[in-house]
Amino acid sequence: MSYSDSDSSSYGGDYKNFRQISRERLLYEMLRSAKTGTSKSTWKVLIMDKLTVKIMSHSCKMADITQEGVSLVEDIHRRRQPLPSMEAIYFIQPTKENVIMFLSDMSGRSPLYKKYVKKFPYYPSSPISRELVTHIKKDSTVIPRIGALREMNLEYFAIDSQGFVTDDERALEELFGDEENSRRGDACLNVMASRIATVFASLREFPLVRYRAAKSLDTMTMTTFSDLIPTKLAAGVWNCLMKYKQSIENFPQTETCDLLILDRSVDQVAPIIHEWTYDAICRDLLNMEGNKYVHEVPSKTGGPPEKKEVLLEEHDPLWLELRHAHIADASERLHEKMTSFISKNKAAQIQHSARDGGELSTKDLQKMVQALPQYSDQIDKLSLHVEIAGKINRIIRELRLRELGQLEQDLVFGDAGLKDVVKFFTTNEDVSRENKLRLLMILAAIYPEKFQGEKGQNIMKLARLQSDDITAVNNMRLLGGASDIKKSSTGAFSLKFDINKKKRAVRKDRTGEEQTWQLSRFYPMIEELIEKLGKRELPKDDYPCMNEPSPTVHAKNQSAAISQPPVAHSMRSRRTPTWARPRNSDDGYSSDSVLRHASSDFKKMGQRIFVFIVGGATRSELRVCHKLTRKLNREIILGSTSLDDPPQFITKMKMLTVDELSLDDIQI
């Protein structure tokens, strides 16, 4: 089964971001290659399963699909009416159940879809087993009707121009929960590895695979399944890549990029701490459902306000500009934009004047009608974000989140401890239960020893936590694994009487490196790791390689790591930090802008860096990848099992069952 010869390689032609490449593979390689004309008689039916529907929806819109000649999208597992005048394209997982349904559609004298002219293209989303190919070949009536049988190798979900997920929402539970059920954990890792590998198959990249090594591997230490998650996953990805080198045409034979595999224990604080950038704080405080935000707009009939759903996505230029900006900066920019808009737009000026009590003349009304179409579109977009920013700022004031956020960051940087948390609880009794929980989860990640025995019970009692909250705090304490909890092994049984004291989480204070806003000190740990990886300074003992790089790889990456000196900014300026610059501008600060400007000569760009986090990534980590793309002049792509906002991560931690061994567990 040959891979398409269409060029979806990393740096072929003009710059295309990660999501654009995924979209083009789906639209052009699969749909357009099967398109035979523009008339309705040649339009296609696209048949997918639940997984491939999600893959498609993350990269394409329905309008994109219909433009390529698809007039109907069907679920392979639902009962479908025969459409003998239409041709079919199947984009499904290569499972036995799907293949049976596929063969059922085409077998016999009256197949479900068009029998002649064009045969049935079939595109498995990932490699198909020999057993299933043999099963397809057995049906002699089906073979002449199959126009193509090609592996797309596309089983990931593009969530951002520089991010993807493998859609393993239960990865924390399956991998960090029941240590004894390693079979379930291995199955989870196998699926995860194959989906990660399809990213590299799609981009035609062959990575230098590095992973976070298990800690405390010595003769006196018992290593658990969760300690070895990055190691096992790296091995699984490597095995898939070795198969791709043999089976995929034009797949690179030497390293073209870097892949660093981590798990959630590398930074337990990032999913819990309040992140103050516009994108992250929207998801945290507004109870959004995915990218969907619901707000009220005036009724066109004069009745009560109507609810309207909007999507906060990359197609909205204002969202793109503001999403990585600090909420204070975003609010300032929106105020400036609204003021400028009113001063320049006639309709806005007239309406503003009418609100102040002035009467509208006939001439004013004519001017307003002329300016109305453009005014309506612009004011809707601007008003939406002004409303969102205003709502967020009200919530921040009502919940007194600035004081809480300051304490969170002081804990992370070692400027506060348990006494400060106790004082905060006693002087702020109206703090919400969720915010108390988040504060204690941060404390438990930094000082796990303080939550043992009676001391831990007293802290929980002071915070008045419920039982499921206590579970989340305890699981946070234990998530650190071998790096934080001593697992001694002697003979046939192991003991875990106590937990060694964990040193306070030390993060280098980076506020001097760039202009920052209040409460913007915190940064995810992957920022340091990616920078070290880009400079080839990541220690091999802690982050081993699955494959030794070719000699040319070192030289190329080291030369690419030399970045331009940062532009100096006045500390009096109220402009944003560099990572919050408008992304739709061509000032060279947005990551897409940097890559687009380099598209004329991609040899000047460093090789891509992929970072994969098992157990869920955060908005702050995705933001860091955009920021470091500019700084390192290398495209940084973040992958994870899921993208979690604090409420989602807390729910997962409550459901997690992490057990500590006690004397009752000992079997002699």
Side-chain angles (χ1 to χ4, degrees), residues 4 32 39 72 87 135 148 153 161 250 273 283 290 304 310 313 316 329 361 371 374 382 395 422 490 562 594 597 651:
S4 170
R32 185 165 290 182
S39 66
L72 182 63
E87 297 159 15
H135 186 59
N153 291 310
S161 59
N250 298 327
I273 196 168
R283 321 279 181 168
V310 292
E313 294 181 325
D316 178 351
D329 176 44
S361 66
Q374 181 186 8
L382 195 51
I395 294 172
V422 170
T490 308
I562 302 172
V594 169
H597 286 178
T651 300

PDB file of all heavy atoms in Angstrom, residues 4 32 39 72 87 135 148 153 161 250 273 283 290 304 310 313 316 329 361 371 374 382 395 422 490 562 594 597 651:
ATOM      1  N   SER A   4       0.707   8.461  -0.422  1.00  0.00           N
ATOM      2  CA  SER A   4       0.536   9.455  -1.483  1.00  0.00           C
ATOM      3  C   SER A   4       1.836  10.173  -1.787  1.00  0.00           C
ATOM      4  O   SER A   4       2.622  10.470  -0.918  1.00  0.00           O
ATOM      5  CB  SER A   4      -0.523  10.480  -1.062  1.00  0.00           C
ATOM      6  OG  SER A   4      -0.534  11.545  -1.959  1.00  0.00           O
ATOM      7  N   ARG A  32      -9.951  15.172  -2.878  1.00  0.00           N
ATOM      8  CA  ARG A  32      -9.760  15.683  -4.232  1.00  0.00           C
ATOM      9  C   ARG A  32      -9.243  14.607  -5.168  1.00  0.00           C
ATOM     10  O   ARG A  32      -9.566  14.578  -6.353  1.00  0.00           O
ATOM     11  CB  ARG A  32      -8.824  16.886  -4.216  1.00  0.00           C
ATOM     12  CG  ARG A  32      -8.679  17.531  -5.584  1.00  0.00           C
ATOM     13  CD  ARG A  32      -8.050  18.913  -5.487  1.00  0.00           C
ATOM     14  NE  ARG A  32      -8.946  19.878  -4.887  1.00  0.00           N
ATOM     15  CZ  ARG A  32      -8.639  21.164  -4.723  1.00  0.00           C
ATOM     16  NH1 ARG A  32      -7.465  21.610  -5.111  1.00  0.00           N
ATOM     17  NH2 ARG A  32      -9.502  21.994  -4.179  1.00  0.00           N
ATOM     18  N   SER A  39     -20.310  18.081 -11.589  1.00  0.00           N
ATOM     19  CA  SER A  39     -21.760  17.908 -11.640  1.00  0.00           C
ATOM     20  C   SER A  39     -22.229  17.056 -10.474  1.00  0.00           C
ATOM     21  O   SER A  39     -21.475  16.299  -9.878  1.00  0.00           O
ATOM     22  CB  SER A  39     -22.162  17.238 -12.957  1.00  0.00           C
ATOM     23  OG  SER A  39     -21.664  15.915 -12.997  1.00  0.00           O
ATOM     24  N   LEU A  72     -22.822  14.439   0.983  1.00  0.00           N
ATOM     25  CA  LEU A  72     -23.456  13.757   2.115  1.00  0.00           C
ATOM     26  C   LEU A  72     -22.392  13.069   2.965  1.00  0.00           C
ATOM     27  O   LEU A  72     -21.479  12.441   2.432  1.00  0.00           O
ATOM     28  CB  LEU A  72     -24.460  12.716   1.605  1.00  0.00           C
ATOM     29  CG  LEU A  72     -25.266  11.937   2.647  1.00  0.00           C
ATOM     30  CD1 LEU A  72     -26.167  12.872   3.451  1.00  0.00           C
ATOM     31  CD2 LEU A  72     -26.099  10.851   1.974  1.00  0.00           C
ATOM     32  N   GLU A  87     -21.242   7.923  -5.667  1.00  0.00           N
ATOM     33  CA  GLU A  87     -20.030   7.175  -5.366  1.00  0.00           C
ATOM     34  C   GLU A  87     -19.617   7.421  -3.918  1.00  0.00           C
ATOM     35  O   GLU A  87     -19.980   8.437  -3.330  1.00  0.00           O
ATOM     36  CB  GLU A  87     -18.924   7.592  -6.331  1.00  0.00           C
ATOM     37  CG  GLU A  87     -19.278   7.255  -7.779  1.00  0.00           C
ATOM     38  CD  GLU A  87     -18.487   8.066  -8.785  1.00  0.00           C
ATOM     39  OE1 GLU A  87     -17.488   8.674  -8.379  1.00  0.00           O
ATOM     40  OE2 GLU A  87     -18.886   8.104  -9.950  1.00  0.00           O
ATOM     41  N   HIS A 135      -8.858 -10.680   4.575  1.00  0.00           N
ATOM     42  CA  HIS A 135     -10.312 -10.810   4.703  1.00  0.00           C
ATOM     43  C   HIS A 135     -11.025 -10.074   3.567  1.00  0.00           C
ATOM     44  O   HIS A 135     -12.014 -10.571   3.016  1.00  0.00           O
ATOM     45  CB  HIS A 135     -10.750 -10.243   6.058  1.00  0.00           C
ATOM     46  CG  HIS A 135     -12.199 -10.451   6.363  1.00  0.00           C
ATOM     47  ND1 HIS A 135     -12.785 -11.706   6.420  1.00  0.00           N
ATOM     48  CD2 HIS A 135     -13.199  -9.559   6.609  1.00  0.00           C
ATOM     49  CE1 HIS A 135     -14.071 -11.578   6.709  1.00  0.00           C
ATOM     50  NE2 HIS A 135     -14.346 -10.284   6.827  1.00  0.00           N
ATOM     51  N   ALA A 148      -9.415   2.232  -4.586  1.00  0.00           N
ATOM     52  CA  ALA A 148      -8.135   2.497  -3.915  1.00  0.00           C
ATOM     53  C   ALA A 148      -8.217   1.987  -2.493  1.00  0.00           C
ATOM     54  O   ALA A 148      -9.271   2.033  -1.868  1.00  0.00           O
ATOM     55  CB  ALA A 148      -7.824   3.986  -3.920  1.00  0.00           C
ATOM     56  N   ASN A 153      -2.734   7.174   7.545  1.00  0.00           N
ATOM     57  CA  ASN A 153      -1.844   7.396   8.696  1.00  0.00           C
ATOM     58  C   ASN A 153      -2.128   8.760   9.330  1.00  0.00           C
ATOM     59  O   ASN A 153      -1.244   9.599   9.474  1.00  0.00           O
ATOM     60  CB  ASN A 153      -0.371   7.296   8.278  1.00  0.00           C
ATOM     61  CG  ASN A 153      -0.005   5.879   7.911  1.00  0.00           C
ATOM     62  OD1 ASN A 153      -0.279   4.951   8.656  1.00  0.00           O
ATOM     63  ND2 ASN A 153       0.581   5.693   6.742  1.00  0.00           N
ATOM     64  N   SER A 161      -2.798  25.559  15.564  1.00  0.00           N
ATOM     65  CA  SER A 161      -1.798  25.579  14.499  1.00  0.00           C
ATOM     66  C   SER A 161      -0.501  24.921  14.947  1.00  0.00           C
ATOM     67  O   SER A 161       0.321  24.533  14.119  1.00  0.00           O
ATOM     68  CB  SER A 161      -1.524  27.018  14.055  1.00  0.00           C
ATOM     69  OG  SER A 161      -1.055  27.787  15.141  1.00  0.00           O
ATOM     70  N   ASN A 250       9.182   7.530   0.496  1.00  0.00           N
ATOM     71  CA  ASN A 250       9.801   8.839   0.763  1.00  0.00           C
ATOM     72  C   ASN A 250       9.824   9.214   2.240  1.00  0.00           C
ATOM     73  O   ASN A 250       9.966  10.394   2.579  1.00  0.00           O
ATOM     74  CB  ASN A 250       9.093   9.953  -0.027  1.00  0.00           C
ATOM     75  CG  ASN A 250       9.190   9.747  -1.524  1.00  0.00           C
ATOM     76  OD1 ASN A 250      10.178   9.217  -2.025  1.00  0.00           O
ATOM     77  ND2 ASN A 250       8.155  10.155  -2.240  1.00  0.00           N
ATOM     78  N   ILE A 273      -2.950  25.837  38.611  1.00  0.00           N
ATOM     79  CA  ILE A 273      -2.742  27.241  38.946  1.00  0.00           C
ATOM     80  C   ILE A 273      -3.569  28.148  38.029  1.00  0.00           C
ATOM     81  O   ILE A 273      -3.844  27.797  36.881  1.00  0.00           O
ATOM     82  CB  ILE A 273      -1.235  27.597  38.840  1.00  0.00           C
ATOM     83  CG1 ILE A 273      -0.926  28.915  39.545  1.00  0.00           C
ATOM     84  CG2 ILE A 273      -0.775  27.600  37.385  1.00  0.00           C
ATOM     85  CD1 ILE A 273       0.563  29.175  39.724  1.00  0.00           C
ATOM     86  N   ARG A 283     -11.422  29.966  29.481  1.00  0.00           N
ATOM     87  CA  ARG A 283     -11.811  28.553  29.687  1.00  0.00           C
ATOM     88  C   ARG A 283     -11.982  28.244  31.173  1.00  0.00           C
ATOM     89  O   ARG A 283     -12.797  27.409  31.546  1.00  0.00           O
ATOM     90  CB  ARG A 283     -10.742  27.625  29.123  1.00  0.00           C
ATOM     91  CG  ARG A 283     -10.114  28.051  27.816  1.00  0.00           C
ATOM     92  CD  ARG A 283     -10.935  27.718  26.624  1.00  0.00           C
ATOM     93  NE  ARG A 283     -10.285  28.130  25.390  1.00  0.00           N
ATOM     94  CZ  ARG A 283     -10.682  27.753  24.190  1.00  0.00           C
ATOM     95  NH1 ARG A 283     -11.722  26.968  24.061  1.00  0.00           N
ATOM     96  NH2 ARG A 283     -10.065  28.177  23.106  1.00  0.00           N
ATOM     97  N   GLY A 290     -16.057  23.451  25.303  1.00  0.00           N
ATOM     98  CA  GLY A 290     -15.103  23.435  24.200  1.00  0.00           C
ATOM     99  C   GLY A 290     -14.724  24.864  23.833  1.00  0.00           C
ATOM    100  O   GLY A 290     -14.318  25.648  24.686  1.00  0.00           O
ATOM    101  N   PRO A 304     -37.193  40.169  24.898  1.00  0.00           N
ATOM    102  CA  PRO A 304     -36.076  39.962  25.826  1.00  0.00           C
ATOM    103  C   PRO A 304     -34.815  39.543  25.070  1.00  0.00           C
ATOM    104  O   PRO A 304     -34.893  39.057  23.935  1.00  0.00           O
ATOM    105  CB  PRO A 304     -36.576  38.828  26.735  1.00  0.00           C
ATOM    106  CG  PRO A 304     -37.645  38.139  25.953  1.00  0.00           C
ATOM    107  CD  PRO A 304     -38.284  39.197  25.109  1.00  0.00           C
ATOM    108  N   VAL A 310     -21.169  31.571  20.017  1.00  0.00           N
ATOM    109  CA  VAL A 310     -20.048  31.933  19.153  1.00  0.00           C
ATOM    110  C   VAL A 310     -18.880  31.005  19.460  1.00  0.00           C
ATOM    111  O   VAL A 310     -18.769  30.466  20.564  1.00  0.00           O
ATOM    112  CB  VAL A 310     -19.606  33.401  19.352  1.00  0.00           C
ATOM    113  CG1 VAL A 310     -20.654  34.353  18.852  1.00  0.00           C
ATOM    114  CG2 VAL A 310     -19.268  33.677  20.799  1.00  0.00           C
ATOM    115  N   GLU A 313     -12.233  30.777  18.102  1.00  0.00           N
ATOM    116  CA  GLU A 313     -11.296  29.956  17.340  1.00  0.00           C
ATOM    117  C   GLU A 313     -10.392  30.835  16.491  1.00  0.00           C
ATOM    118  O   GLU A 313     -10.529  32.061  16.449  1.00  0.00           O
ATOM    119  CB  GLU A 313     -12.058  28.971  16.445  1.00  0.00           C
ATOM    120  CG  GLU A 313     -12.834  27.916  17.209  1.00  0.00           C
ATOM    121  CD  GLU A 313     -13.556  26.956  16.282  1.00  0.00           C
ATOM    122  OE1 GLU A 313     -14.029  27.397  15.210  1.00  0.00           O
ATOM    123  OE2 GLU A 313     -13.664  25.774  16.627  1.00  0.00           O
ATOM    124  N   ASP A 316     -11.262  33.887  14.070  1.00  0.00           N
ATOM    125  CA  ASP A 316     -11.569  35.206  14.618  1.00  0.00           C
ATOM    126  C   ASP A 316     -10.250  35.957  14.814  1.00  0.00           C
ATOM    127  O   ASP A 316      -9.468  35.638  15.708  1.00  0.00           O
ATOM    128  CB  ASP A 316     -12.297  35.042  15.958  1.00  0.00           C
ATOM    129  CG  ASP A 316     -12.620  36.371  16.619  1.00  0.00           C
ATOM    130  OD1 ASP A 316     -12.146  37.419  16.143  1.00  0.00           O
ATOM    131  OD2 ASP A 316     -13.343  36.356  17.635  1.00  0.00           O
ATOM    132  N   ASP A 329      -3.775  43.292  29.824  1.00  0.00           N
ATOM    133  CA  ASP A 329      -3.350  43.843  28.539  1.00  0.00           C
ATOM    134  C   ASP A 329      -4.470  43.717  27.507  1.00  0.00           C
ATOM    135  O   ASP A 329      -4.727  44.645  26.727  1.00  0.00           O
ATOM    136  CB  ASP A 329      -2.092  43.113  28.064  1.00  0.00           C
ATOM    137  CG  ASP A 329      -1.640  43.570  26.687  1.00  0.00           C
ATOM    138  OD1 ASP A 329      -1.645  44.788  26.450  1.00  0.00           O
ATOM    139  OD2 ASP A 329      -1.298  42.716  25.868  1.00  0.00           O
ATOM    140  N   SER A 361     -31.228  63.237  13.001  1.00  0.00           N
ATOM    141  CA  SER A 361     -31.850  63.872  11.842  1.00  0.00           C
ATOM    142  C   SER A 361     -31.964  62.857  10.710  1.00  0.00           C
ATOM    143  O   SER A 361     -31.375  61.772  10.761  1.00  0.00           O
ATOM    144  CB  SER A 361     -31.009  65.068  11.392  1.00  0.00           C
ATOM    145  OG  SER A 361     -29.750  64.615  10.916  1.00  0.00           O
ATOM    146  N   ALA A 371     -23.328  53.261   6.545  1.00  0.00           N
ATOM    147  CA  ALA A 371     -22.190  52.680   7.276  1.00  0.00           C
ATOM    148  C   ALA A 371     -22.569  51.396   8.009  1.00  0.00           C
ATOM    149  O   ALA A 371     -21.696  50.719   8.553  1.00  0.00           O
ATOM    150  CB  ALA A 371     -21.651  53.695   8.282  1.00  0.00           C
ATOM    151  N   GLN A 374     -20.884  47.430   7.389  1.00  0.00           N
ATOM    152  CA  GLN A 374     -19.532  47.278   7.920  1.00  0.00           C
ATOM    153  C   GLN A 374     -19.536  47.477   9.431  1.00  0.00           C
ATOM    154  O   GLN A 374     -18.880  46.747  10.172  1.00  0.00           O
ATOM    155  CB  GLN A 374     -18.601  48.307   7.268  1.00  0.00           C
ATOM    156  CG  GLN A 374     -17.154  48.196   7.750  1.00  0.00           C
ATOM    157  CD  GLN A 374     -16.279  49.307   7.200  1.00  0.00           C
ATOM    158  OE1 GLN A 374     -16.770  50.238   6.573  1.00  0.00           O
ATOM    159  NE2 GLN A 374     -14.994  49.211   7.433  1.00  0.00           N
ATOM    160  N   LEU A 382     -16.138  43.146  18.040  1.00  0.00           N
ATOM    161  CA  LEU A 382     -15.493  43.927  19.090  1.00  0.00           C
ATOM    162  C   LEU A 382     -16.297  43.881  20.385  1.00  0.00           C
ATOM    163  O   LEU A 382     -15.740  43.692  21.471  1.00  0.00           O
ATOM    164  CB  LEU A 382     -15.304  45.362  18.612  1.00  0.00           C
ATOM    165  CG  LEU A 382     -14.345  46.267  19.391  1.00  0.00           C
ATOM    166  CD1 LEU A 382     -12.993  45.583  19.581  1.00  0.00           C
ATOM    167  CD2 LEU A 382     -14.161  47.588  18.669  1.00  0.00           C
ATOM    168  N   ILE A 395     -15.581  38.814  37.516  1.00  0.00           N
ATOM    169  CA  ILE A 395     -15.394  37.571  38.278  1.00  0.00           C
ATOM    170  C   ILE A 395     -14.116  37.651  39.113  1.00  0.00           C
ATOM    171  O   ILE A 395     -14.090  37.225  40.272  1.00  0.00           O
ATOM    172  CB  ILE A 395     -15.352  36.356  37.326  1.00  0.00           C
ATOM    173  CG1 ILE A 395     -16.716  36.163  36.646  1.00  0.00           C
ATOM    174  CG2 ILE A 395     -14.964  35.085  38.081  1.00  0.00           C
ATOM    175  CD1 ILE A 395     -16.719  35.106  35.547  1.00  0.00           C
ATOM    176  N   VAL A 422      -2.574  28.792  55.573  1.00  0.00           N
ATOM    177  CA  VAL A 422      -3.443  28.766  56.756  1.00  0.00           C
ATOM    178  C   VAL A 422      -3.963  30.173  57.054  1.00  0.00           C
ATOM    179  O   VAL A 422      -5.155  30.380  57.324  1.00  0.00           O
ATOM    180  CB  VAL A 422      -2.687  28.196  57.977  1.00  0.00           C
ATOM    181  CG1 VAL A 422      -3.509  28.391  59.256  1.00  0.00           C
ATOM    182  CG2 VAL A 422      -2.365  26.718  57.755  1.00  0.00           C
ATOM    183  N   THR A 490      12.781  -5.086  48.964  1.00  0.00           N
ATOM    184  CA  THR A 490      13.634  -6.065  49.627  1.00  0.00           C
ATOM    185  C   THR A 490      13.042  -7.451  49.390  1.00  0.00           C
ATOM    186  O   THR A 490      11.963  -7.753  49.885  1.00  0.00           O
ATOM    187  CB  THR A 490      13.702  -5.803  51.139  1.00  0.00           C
ATOM    188  OG1 THR A 490      14.063  -4.436  51.341  1.00  0.00           O
ATOM    189  CG2 THR A 490      14.715  -6.707  51.794  1.00  0.00           C
ATOM    190  N   ILE A 562      20.816  29.321  17.247  1.00  0.00           N
ATOM    191  CA  ILE A 562      21.299  30.695  17.445  1.00  0.00           C
ATOM    192  C   ILE A 562      20.204  31.647  17.000  1.00  0.00           C
ATOM    193  O   ILE A 562      19.889  31.743  15.829  1.00  0.00           O
ATOM    194  CB  ILE A 562      22.576  30.941  16.613  1.00  0.00           C
ATOM    195  CG1 ILE A 562      23.667  29.943  17.008  1.00  0.00           C
ATOM    196  CG2 ILE A 562      23.053  32.376  16.794  1.00  0.00           C
ATOM    197  CD1 ILE A 562      24.872  29.989  16.109  1.00  0.00           C
ATOM    198  N   VAL A 594       6.670  34.585  12.105  1.00  0.00           N
ATOM    199  CA  VAL A 594       8.078  34.182  12.010  1.00  0.00           C
ATOM    200  C   VAL A 594       8.251  33.086  10.973  1.00  0.00           C
ATOM    201  O   VAL A 594       9.131  33.144  10.111  1.00  0.00           O
ATOM    202  CB  VAL A 594       8.583  33.700  13.389  1.00  0.00           C
ATOM    203  CG1 VAL A 594       9.944  33.037  13.249  1.00  0.00           C
ATOM    204  CG2 VAL A 594       8.669  34.856  14.362  1.00  0.00           C
ATOM    205  N   HIS A 597       7.526  34.358   7.335  1.00  0.00           N
ATOM    206  CA  HIS A 597       8.623  35.149   6.776  1.00  0.00           C
ATOM    207  C   HIS A 597       9.787  34.256   6.363  1.00  0.00           C
ATOM    208  O   HIS A 597      10.559  34.611   5.474  1.00  0.00           O
ATOM    209  CB  HIS A 597       9.099  36.180   7.797  1.00  0.00           C
ATOM    210  CG  HIS A 597       8.130  37.311   7.951  1.00  0.00           C
ATOM    211  ND1 HIS A 597       8.324  38.337   8.841  1.00  0.00           N
ATOM    212  CD2 HIS A 597       6.950  37.575   7.329  1.00  0.00           C
ATOM    213  CE1 HIS A 597       7.318  39.192   8.761  1.00  0.00           C
ATOM    214  NE2 HIS A 597       6.466  38.746   7.862  1.00  0.00           N
ATOM    215  N   THR A 651     -11.496  17.227  37.995  1.00  0.00           N
ATOM    216  CA  THR A 651     -12.429  16.093  37.901  1.00  0.00           C
ATOM    217  C   THR A 651     -11.673  14.791  37.696  1.00  0.00           C
ATOM    218  O   THR A 651     -11.988  13.768  38.314  1.00  0.00           O
ATOM    219  CB  THR A 651     -13.422  16.310  36.740  1.00  0.00           C
ATOM    220  OG1 THR A 651     -14.171  17.507  36.979  1.00  0.00           O
ATOM    221  CG2 THR A 651     -14.393  15.139  36.610  1.00  0.00           C
TER     222      THR A 651
END
